[in-house]
Amino acid sequence: MTVTVLLADDQALVRAGFRSLLRRSREIEVVGEAGTGDEAVRAARELRPDVVLMDIRMPGLDGLAATRAIVGDPELSGCRVVILTTFETDEYVFAALRAGASGFLSKEIEPAQLRQAVEVVAAGEALLSPSVTRRVIAEFAHRPVPRYADADARLSVLTEREREVLRLVATGLSNEEIARRLFISPLTAKTHVSRTIAKLDVRDRIQLVILAYETGLVRPGGPAVKPGRGVVG
C-alpha cells in the first residue's frame, strides 16, 4: 500500500527537501503541501493523507493548533501527525504530545530514517524515541502527579500484566526490551501494548506514556505506584 503524506512547513525549501527525499520510496507519495497551519488543516480535510509532517512554528495557526484540529476531527481519525522539530530547542514538545502528535522528527534526520519513520507512523505505531520519553518525564518531574478520582476506574479495564506493560512503556522501553524484561516474545509484548492502547482508548504509545503519569501509575524519579493513593512526586 502507498502511504500518502502532506508536508506542512512555512519554508518552501524545507518542503522541497522532504518531498525529494520521500519521492525515492515507491511506497510513499507526497499528495500536498501547506505553508501555514490553516492551510495544513484544510489540506488534511481535502486530501485525507495517512501522515502529516507538521512544522511546529508557522505563521497564523501554528503547528500545535493545527495538530489539535486535525487529531480532533472525527473524519480524520486515520490521519497521524508527526511534528518536525529539534528536540533540544523546541519548548513545545510536551504540548504537542498532549495535542495528539504521534511522534517527532528532527529536520536533520537521515533520508532512510525519514522514509522509515513515515511508514512506521502510517502503520499505527508511534515515534517515541528515548529522547522524547525523557522530555515527557522531565515535564512531569516539575509538577505534582495529578490526583485523578477516576484513576482506578480508568485503569480497571487492564489485567495485571497489561498494567505491568504500561509501566514499562512509560519508562521508554521498546517492545523488544519489554519482552526481555518480562521473559516473553516480542510479538506477545506488542500484543499486550496494542490491547492496552485499545482498552484505554488512546491513539498510540505516546498517549500511553502520558496517561501512565497522569493517573499516577508511575511517577518521575520513583518506583511505580498504584493510582488512587494520593502519592505525589
Side-chain angles (χ1 to χ4, degrees), residues 57-121:
R57 294 187 178 97
M58 290 186 289
L61 193 70
D62 65 15
L64 181 59
T67 296
R68 189 178 297 111
I70 292 172
V71 172
D73 189 334
E75 296 186 0
L76 295 176
S77 60
C79 180
R80 308 177 75 80
V81 179
V82 176
I83 298 295
L84 298 174
T85 185
T86 52
F87 295 136
E88 300 304 320
T89 60
D90 197 334
E91 68 271 25
Y92 299 114
V93 169
F94 183 75
L97 289 175
R98 293 300 306 273
S102 292
F104 293 84
L105 287 177
S106 168
K107 291 186 178 180
E108 300 177 357
I109 190 173
E110 294 294 326
Q113 293 177 323
L114 171 65
R115 294 188 289 270
Q116 181 182 27
V118 167
E119 292 171 355
V120 165
V121 171

Side-chain angles (χ1 to χ4, degrees), residues 153-174:
R154 183 73 192 273
L155 299 177
S156 65
V157 297
L158 303 180
T159 65
E160 284 302 317
R161 175 47 62 94
E162 288 165 349
R163 287 193 182 214
E164 190 173 15
V165 168
L166 177 55
R167 291 187 184 98
L168 296 177
V169 168
T171 65
L173 297 188
S174 66

